[in-house]
Amino acid sequence: MSGVELAAPLVVEVGVAAVGGLHSTYASIFASSKNLDDNYKKLVEDTEKLLAMKKDKEREVQRNNHKDTTNAYKLWTNRVLDAAEEVQKLKDKYIERRLPRWRFLRRSHLSEEMEKKGYCVRELIKDKCLEDFLVDKPPEPVLKELNVPQISGYPTLQGALKNILDLLKNNNIKVIGVYGTKGVGKTTIMRNLNNNEEVAKLFEIVIFVKVTAEFHKLQEKIANRLMLNIGTYKKEHSDEVARRIHKELEKKKYLLILDEVEGTINLEQLGIPSDNNGSKVVISTRFQRVYKLNGVRRVIKVMELSPEEAWKMFRDTIHAFNPKIDSLDIQPIAKLVCKRCSRLPLLIYNIANSFKLKESASSWSAGLEDLKPWPELQNQGSEELYSCLKFCYDELKDKKIQKCFLYTSLYPADSKVYTDYLVECWAAQGLLGDINDKRSYQSARNCGIDILEHLANVSLLDKGESMIYVNMNHCTRQLALHISSKDPECSFYLQDGEESENISDSRTWQQARWVSMRKLLDLPTSQNCSMILTLLLRQNTKLTTIPQTFFENMSSLLLLDLYSSMIIQLPSSLSKLTGLRGLFLNSCELLESLSSEIGSLQYLEVLDIRDTRVTFIPLQIGSLTNLRCLRIPFIASDEQEETRNVHVISKLQSLEELTIQVISYEQWCNHAESVLQHVASLENVTHLKCCFPSPIILGKFLSRSKSWGCKQQYSFRFFVGCQNSKRPPILESFEYKITNYLRYCHGGQKDDSAIIEVLPKTDAFELVCHKDIKKLSNFAGIVCLERIRGLLIEKCNKVSTIVSSDTNRNNMNGTQIETRVILPNLEQLYLENLLKLKCVFRGPLHSGTFSKLQTLSLKNCPSLSEIFSNGAIQHFSELQKLKLEDCSEIEELIRDDIERERDVLPKLEMLLLVNLPSFKTVCSTHTLTWSSLELLRIHNCPKLKTLPLDSTNAANLKSIKGQQEWWDELEWTNNDEVFQRLQPIFVATNEYFS
């Protein structure tokens, strides 16, 4: 067969196939074109159904507005909207293309698009994401508190809030305490903190919780704030809830604000992560014990408003409703009402609201009367505060502790009541138990201090510096007076400012148990006062005479206080006070002698005659065989008389506490050994304040003393080689009370043995004008110094360094002592007027050396060139305050031999540089982090041209204070960023600061 013959059938077959395919295609297009109307109708119906479903879901979302929708659902709604838009375009095309049938090709394409889109719409209708599309909402970053009182215009409240905000930026502090009495404005500050815009930027979530006593309810509140679905909460499920809280917070930077905390809170048991990733916990409380028990690193105390702030708040609260408060007849009364509010915002607000509708001076005066001594009327607006304080009082439970609290209200509001004195008053009243052979005065004192601390911890008393004194605010005092008025055993008679009563009211006088009269000129002479237990005539500067018969009818009197009155002598009726336990005559500057009648006071336990003209030692004191505490001045007017009476001391074998206030120091030096020999014979002395003219006399006393080595709780203030002082500054620098203090002056190494015997029991030590020592370990050896918490070294002109490791062994009085940890408990170190001191600390030092030092102060050390040498700086991890003053040679604070990128002095908060003419740099490297530095004070350091600060280190620095001309001359090495960061916190001043 030829090729042509073969090709012919093939062409025929291809042609047939082509015609068949074309026919099939046209058939398909025709069918599609024919189905356009059906596809359009179905697409429209399906789309309407889809949009109806979307509306149904939207209504369900609205009904469940506490819920959120899944991300899949949110994506579905977007796809529905897109589909609806595309369907609308197809509908528009359908309308435009309704043309004659012969144009079926274009209709076919449109039909296919509709069919495909219909498939998509039906898939959206069947989407499984619609089955469980509602989920729990994530918690809001901040839940704003509503109707929060504004604190702008009140610097006291604003200052507290600012301090909290500053601490929130400190990465070294996790738990912050906010402390203050009830009504002082803590909750208002916490609510403002919660709403603060700066806080919202610092944290991913802020949790504000008002704490309840029940642990599980507190945990439930936190879980609810985090939107955790914990179902029906049961106590036994607390561990599981804690795990869920922990999981929710562990990767978040959170702020937890716990308001009104009254006890210990175990944060870990609640589920709060312990890792510090920048998260913070703020605990607000009115109980001091709370922040002590909850790991609080820093405490901010919220003080009462200033008088000006209190008046502004009181006036502004009323003025909006009643402008008449500014009228001349009402405003003076309004200011008295405001004064009754104790400068407490809660009381100011409530009482102001109860007065705002009073329009006449008469109604204001009537309202003022209702506020004395404590407002019981329901409209006075103080029920909340009263209930809180009354609850604290009732919770004391113990009747004697309650009486101790009520007794303290004898003293004016906000006045300083010294703790030692107050405890002695309580003891005299029998509130601390009977003092006898089995119960020492010291044990009673310990009991009293414990009660004082408890009253402070429950906010019924305010604790002063170092627990030296306490005070009671006006509001709390009003509560105490109110309770006392209803208790016959605690009835008051007060002639004291606003609470004055009529002194001629004999019925009140007769019924009183505790009497306080101040600023009176004359005392009554014929009162029957057999019920009186305490009589306070303190600080009556115009009281010069006490009638001879004044004490005739006071047989029950237990305590008499004439402190700082102008009496010249005591009346003969003093002998009638046979039950008297406490007699205070201190600071009666005109009193020259004790009357012979004082010998009748056989039960007297406390006698204080310091700062009087009474010569040492009155013979009558020898009869007071029950005396436990004696404070007496040494004034020797007649040498023979003094020598004759000194034996009186030996008769006081019950004496436990003795203070000899040396007024005539030269005469004391002549008689001290004789006097102290008799003091040494007293077997029960556990507390002695006295000066010793020399260490030799001290040594003789220690060897002779029958109590020095025998009493475990022996406390002392010894002044050796110098006259005593009332309140050494080093003791006042501590936040707690220091009991054992030693000041040693003008010594030499051959005289040190007695001092070395005392040092192991010493808490605070001052070494002044020592002739020999070159470094501290030469003086006493290291073991003797282990207890020391405060140390002052002054005018020891051979000292070249305080501690160094230049030898392996130290020599002390010829004895080789092995080097070991140095001053492990030292908290404060003061170095002053050391002319040859060149380097303070020379390493390497043993681990633990200076491990608790918080304050370091160097003043007037003209040869000083270096503070930390040879790695010594690594031992000062707890140092918080460093002051360098009047040191003319030093050029640099920290040498550049430290390791780079190292966080040295990690807790240093305050750096003060004063009068340093050669000082050039704090540190030559800018790589130190200064992680805790908050305050930088620089005064008269003309050569200091740069600061070791960059744009990132010292993140917590909030204040730089110095002279403007110094600041203007600083060199920033063209780093405007650093300057811009520091300029807002610089405060220009030419004033010297400490």
Side-chain angles (χ1 to χ4, degrees):
M1 187 176 292
S2 66
V4 175
E5 292 175 321
L6 290 172
L10 180 61
V11 171
V12 173
E13 289 181 16
V14 170
V16 173
V19 173
L22 182 62
H23 181 272
S24 175
T25 300
Y26 273 97
S28 175
I29 293 173
F30 180 79
S32 181
S33 175
K34 189 176 181 181
N35 292 335
L36 173 63
D37 293 335
D38 294 336
N39 288 340
Y40 171 79
K41 183 178 179 182
K42 186 166 182 58
L43 176 62
V44 170
E45 290 175 352
D46 289 342
T47 303
E48 288 175 350
K49 181 178 181 181
L50 177 63
L51 293 175
M53 288 177 62
K54 180 176 178 293
K55 286 184 179 180
D56 290 341
K57 297 302 180 184
E58 287 172 348
R59 279 194 288 269
E60 192 172 350
V61 170
Q62 290 175 353
R63 286 196 305 271
N64 294 274
N65 56 7
H66 61 287
K67 295 275 190 177
D68 200 358
T69 56
T70 62
N71 291 329
Y73 172 78
K74 292 171 184 174
L75 181 62
W76 179 84
T77 57
N78 291 333
R79 289 171 60 198
V80 168
L81 293 175
D82 291 342
E85 185 176 346
E86 292 171 5
V87 168
Q88 183 60 47
K89 291 178 180 178
L90 292 175
K91 288 170 67 177
D92 293 341
K93 287 182 181 180
Y94 174 78
I95 294 172
E96 292 173 2
R97 296 179 182 181
R98 298 189 66 176
L99 301 173
R101 286 184 178 275
W102 59 267
R103 302 187 65 180
F104 59 84
L105 182 61
R106 298 178 69 183
R107 289 167 57 86
S108 170
H109 289 160
L110 181 59
S111 179
E112 288 179 0
E113 286 183 58
M114 287 186 175
E115 187 174 8
K116 290 178 182 178
K117 186 54 61 182
Y119 175 79
C120 293
V121 169
R122 288 188 292 277
E123 286 297 309
L124 285 172
I125 292 172
K126 296 185 292 183
D127 200 316
K128 292 186 177 181
C129 75
L130 302 178
E131 294 177 3
D132 295 304
F133 71 100
L134 290 176
V135 294
D136 291 332
K137 279 186 177 180
E140 294 288 336
V142 177
L143 284 181
K144 291 289 184 76
E145 290 282 301
L146 302 177
N147 303 317
V148 177
Q150 295 301 306
I151 60 176
S152 57
Y154 302 100
T156 299
L157 301 177
Q158 281 182 299
L161 178 61
K162 182 180 183 302
N163 289 337
I164 298 170
L165 289 172
D166 289 338
L167 291 177
L168 291 179
K169 301 171 188 175
N170 190 328
N171 291 329
N172 297 319
I173 298 172
K174 168 135 182 155
V175 186
I176 301 164
V178 179
Y179 162 73
T181 189
K182 176 71 176 178
V184 80
K186 300 184 300 300
T187 296
T188 295
I189 293 171
M190 294 301 98
R191 295 175 72 195
N192 274 272
L193 179 67
N194 178 81
N195 290 9
N196 188 274
E197 295 299 328
E198 192 173 352
V199 167
K201 295 175 183 176
L202 286 173
F203 300 96
E204 296 175 63
I205 185 167
V206 179
I207 307 166
F208 179 80
V209 181
K210 186 174 181 180
V211 175
T212 61
E214 289 134 340
F215 173 86
H216 71 281
K217 287 188 177 180
L218 172 59
Q219 192 179 47
E220 185 177 9
K221 285 184 177 183
I222 295 173
N224 289 338
R225 172 66 181 91
L226 294 173
M227 305 293 289
L228 300 178
N229 184 8
I230 59 175
T232 303
Y233 188 97
K234 294 183 180 179
K235 294 181 181 180
E236 56 267 24
H237 295 160
S238 63
D239 289 344
E240 176 59 30
V241 176
R243 279 191 287 272
R244 294 189 61 188
I245 292 173
H246 188 280
K247 185 176 181 180
E248 185 72 19
L249 291 178
E250 63 181 346
K251 294 182 180 179
K252 283 187 171 70
K253 186 179 180 183
Y254 61 85
L255 171 62
L256 174 61
I257 303 172
L258 299 175
D259 191 33
E260 297 190 14
V261 179
E262 297 188 356
T264 305
I265 294 178
N266 191 318
L267 295 174
E268 290 187 5
Q269 285 186 5
L270 282 174
I272 308 302
S274 58
D275 294 339
N276 188 4
N277 62 345
S279 298
K280 306 289 181 185
V281 179
V282 178
I283 292 176
S284 166
T285 181
R286 58 191 168 92
F287 299 124
Q288 292 186 25
R289 68 170 187 267
V290 167
Y291 63 76
K292 294 176 182 177
L293 296 174
N294 285 288
V296 171
R297 278 286 307 278
R298 192 72 66 85
V299 177
I300 294 170
K301 183 173 182 180
V302 183
M303 304 300 294
E304 295 86 358
L305 300 177
S306 68
E308 296 75 20
E309 290 174 295
W311 170 244
K312 170 179 166 55
M313 182 177 287
F314 186 85
R315 179 197 172 274
D316 289 354
T317 303
I318 292 178
H319 189 268
F321 296 90
N322 187 0
K324 290 184 179 180
I325 189 174
D326 291 334
S327 65
L328 295 178
D329 56 341
I330 289 179
Q331 189 176 96
I333 308 171
K335 288 186 174 180
L336 291 176
V337 173
C338 179
K339 189 176 180 181
R340 289 283 174 184
C341 298
S342 302
R343 294 181 284 141
L344 297 175
L346 174 65
L347 208 52
I348 291 171
Y349 180 77
N350 288 339
I351 290 182
N353 275 302
S354 71
F355 273 76
K356 66 186 179 185
L357 298 180
K358 295 182 184 294
E359 297 190 355
S360 68
S362 297
S363 62
W364 274 86
S365 295
L368 177 61
E369 286 297 315
D370 289 338
L371 290 174
K372 297 191 299 185
W374 182 273
E376 291 184 296
L377 301 179
Q378 292 298 310
N379 65 346
Q380 292 304 321
S382 56
E383 295 81 8
E384 181 181 350
L385 188 59
Y386 173 82
S387 298
C388 173
L389 294 174
K390 185 63 165 62
F391 172 79
C392 293
Y393 172 80
D394 292 337
E395 281 296 294
L396 296 175
K397 293 183 171 42
D398 188 296
K399 185 69 174 176
K400 287 186 176 180
I401 297 178
Q402 290 177 333
K403 282 188 176 181
C404 287
F405 163 69
L406 298 178
Y407 188 95
T408 310
S409 61
L410 267 172
Y411 305 93
D414 297 320
S415 63
K416 295 180 180 179
V417 186
Y418 288 90
T419 54
D420 286 340
Y421 160 78
L422 183 57
V423 167
E424 289 157 8
C425 293
W426 290 348
Q429 299 297 302
L431 300 177
L432 306 179
D434 292 332
I435 299 166
N436 48 45
D437 293 338
K438 294 182 180 179
R439 181 174 171 80
S440 68
Y441 198 75
Q442 182 60 49
S443 65
R445 186 180 292 284
N446 292 342
C447 176
I449 295 297
D450 182 59
I451 291 173
L452 272 174
E453 290 181 348
H454 181 66
L455 291 174
N457 282 331
V458 297
S459 295
L460 290 175
L461 291 180
D462 292 326
K463 187 162 57 174
E465 298 172 3
S466 306
M467 194 60 179
I468 294 173
Y469 65 87
V470 294
N471 57 60
M472 182 182 286
N473 66 39
H474 180 85
C475 188
T476 308
R477 186 177 187 236
Q478 290 293 86
L479 166 71
L481 294 176
H482 172 70
I483 295 172
S484 298
S485 68
K486 300 180 180 299
D487 187 346
E489 294 184 8
C490 305
S491 57
F492 277 85
Y493 179 94
L494 297 175
Q495 189 189 46
D496 181 17
E498 294 174 4
E499 285 79 29
S500 295
E501 302 291 345
N502 190 344
I503 196 169
S504 63
D505 187 344
S506 60
R507 187 176 67 86
T508 304
W509 177 265
Q510 290 171 349
Q511 292 177 348
R513 296 296 184 96
W514 299 333
V515 177
S516 176
M517 296 187 290
R518 297 159 59 89
K519 299 180 181 179
L520 75 167
L521 296 175
D522 299 306
L523 291 170
T525 57
S526 59
Q527 296 283 353
N528 179 13
C529 306
S530 58
M531 301 296 290
I532 296 179
L533 302 177
T534 285
L535 177 59
L536 305 183
L537 301 173
R538 295 169 57 84
Q539 297 177 306
N540 276 285
T541 55
K542 295 184 179 180
L543 178 62
T544 59
T545 304
I546 299 177
Q548 291 296 323
T549 60
F550 180 68
F551 296 119
E552 287 284 348
N553 298 309
M554 294 190 190
S555 57
S556 299
L557 194 65
L558 298 174
L559 184 134
L560 173 61
D561 187 350
L562 292 163
Y563 164 73
S564 198
S565 64
M566 294 291 109
I567 60 169
I568 299 172
Q569 62 180 8
L570 294 167
S572 57
S573 58
L574 186 71
S575 61
K576 302 296 184 180
L577 305 179
T578 54
L580 197 68
R581 302 292 181 91
L583 177 58
F584 295 91
L585 302 170
N586 45 319
S587 296
C588 294
E589 298 174 356
L590 303 180
L591 184 66
E592 295 186 348
S593 63
L594 298 179
S595 63
S596 59
E597 285 79 10
I598 200 170
S600 303
L601 309 180
Q602 293 297 303
Y603 290 98
L604 195 67
E605 294 172 348
V606 180
L607 175 62
D608 192 343
I609 53 175
R610 290 171 300 166
D611 295 309
T612 65
R613 299 183 183 180
V614 176
T615 56
F616 187 89
I617 182 173
L619 190 62
Q620 305 92 317
I621 289 180
S623 302
L624 306 178
T625 55
N626 280 307
L627 203 62
R628 303 301 183 106
C629 177
L630 174 63
R631 303 188 187 101
I632 190 167
F634 181 89
I635 304 174
S637 60
D638 185 319
E639 185 173 330
Q640 289 185 345
E641 180 183 351
E642 189 279 328
T643 304
R644 184 175 68 247
N645 290 348
V646 71
H647 67 281
V648 169
I649 297 175
S650 303
K651 296 182 178 181
L652 306 177
Q653 287 302 316
S654 296
L655 200 65
E656 297 180 33
E657 303 179 9
L658 174 63
T659 297
I660 300 177
Q661 178 194 29
V662 173
I663 306 297
S664 308
Y665 185 67
E666 292 182 5
Q667 293 150 308
W668 171 253
C669 291
N670 295 328
H671 302 292
E673 187 171 355
S674 173
V675 173
L676 290 166
Q677 185 174 353
H678 289 280
V679 174
S681 70
L682 301 176
E683 297 182 0
N684 293 304
V685 169
T686 57
H687 181 76
L688 177 62
K689 294 182 182 179
C690 185
C691 70
F692 300 82
S694 71
I696 295 174
I697 294 178
L698 172 64
K700 289 181 179 179
F701 169 77
L702 297 178
S703 64
R704 294 169 179 167
S705 175
K706 293 184 177 180
S707 58
W708 168 255
C710 304
K711 301 294 183 182
Q712 277 189 331
Q713 292 188 327
Y714 200 106
S715 60
F716 57 86
R717 287 192 190 177
F718 289 168
F719 301 82
V720 183
C722 55
Q723 191 167 354
N724 54 343
S725 59
K726 281 187 177 180
R727 300 176 69 182
I730 196 171
L731 299 184
E732 297 186 4
S733 65
F734 282 85
E735 294 182 357
Y736 54 89
K737 190 172 182 180
I738 294 291
T739 55
N740 294 352
Y741 164 82
L742 171 63
R743 181 178 175 90
Y744 178 33
C745 305
H746 307 289
Q749 199 155 353
K750 62 183 176 59
D751 303 324
D752 294 344
S753 57
I755 302 299
I756 292 170
E757 183 178 347
V758 176
L759 277 175
K761 299 181 180 181
T762 301
D763 296 308
F765 176 41
E766 296 184 358
L767 181 64
V768 183
C769 297
H770 197 280
K771 302 170 186 175
D772 300 328
I773 67 163
K774 294 183 179 180
K775 63 180 181 179
L776 189 61
S777 52
N778 292 148
F779 166 64
I782 296 164
V783 177
C784 295
L785 303 173
E786 287 186 355
R787 178 171 169 144
I788 301 292
R789 285 176 277 175
L791 175 61
L792 165 69
I793 303 177
E794 181 179 6
K795 297 180 181 178
C796 298
N797 290 331
K798 288 190 178 181
V799 170
S800 60
T801 185
I802 302 303
V803 294
S804 68
S805 60
D806 51 6
T807 58
N808 291 327
R809 291 178 177 270
N810 295 317
N811 185 285
M812 180 193 71
N813 296 340
T815 303
Q816 296 292 325
I817 296 183
E818 185 178 355
T819 303
R820 53 184 292 181
V821 176
I822 303 171
L823 294 164
N825 293 301
L826 187 68
E827 297 175 16
Q828 302 192 27
L829 175 59
Y830 300 89
L831 306 174
E832 299 181 5
N833 302 304
L834 302 178
L835 301 184
K836 293 187 178 180
L837 179 66
K838 294 183 178 180
C839 177
V840 184
F841 312 106
R842 195 183 305 278
L845 304 175
H846 283 265
S847 177
T849 295
F850 297 112
S851 59
K852 294 183 181 179
L853 188 66
Q854 298 174 11
T855 299
L856 172 61
S857 175
L858 298 101
K859 183 176 181 180
N860 193 24
C861 301
S863 301
L864 182 68
S865 60
E866 195 171 5
I867 299 177
F868 310 101
S869 172
N870 200 18
I873 197 170
Q874 66 181 308
H875 294 270
F876 295 85
S877 59
E878 295 296 318
L879 191 66
Q880 297 174 11
K881 179 179 179 180
L882 174 55
K883 180 179 179 182
L884 189 59
E885 179 180 1
D886 293 320
C887 299
S888 56
E889 293 297 320
I890 191 165
E891 297 182 2
E892 188 173 11
L893 182 67
I894 301 174
R895 291 290 177 91
D896 59 4
D897 59 353
I898 60 173
E899 297 178 19
R900 302 291 176 177
E901 304 293 341
R902 185 167 181 175
D903 188 11
V904 300
L905 306 180
K907 294 187 180 179
L908 186 69
E909 298 173 1
M910 184 184 299
L911 177 60
L912 299 94
L913 305 171
V914 181
N915 297 335
L916 308 175
S918 302
F919 194 79
K920 295 179 180 179
T921 181
V922 175
C923 182
S924 59
T925 176
H926 284 210
T927 60
L928 301 185
T929 60
W930 304 101
S931 55
S932 296
L933 188 64
E934 296 180 1
L935 306 175
L936 181 59
R937 303 287 188 257
I938 298 174
H939 181 83
N940 196 20
C941 300
K943 293 186 179 181
L944 180 61
K945 300 297 185 183
T946 62
L947 296 176
L949 306 174
D950 57 32
S951 58
T952 58
N953 68 357
N956 298 306
L957 186 63
K958 59 185 179 183
S959 175
I960 302 175
K961 182 179 284 190
Q963 295 149 302
Q964 184 66 54
E965 54 269 28
W966 164 78
W967 180 257
D968 292 339
E969 293 177 3
L970 279 177
E971 299 171 1
W972 301 100
T973 61
N974 298 322
N975 194 334
D976 290 337
E977 183 181 355
V978 178
F979 175 77
Q980 294 299 328
R981 174 178 167 245
L982 299 180
Q983 175 64 34
I985 63 174
F986 172 70
V987 178
T989 178
N990 290 318
E991 296 181 1
Y992 172 78
F993 40 80
S994 58

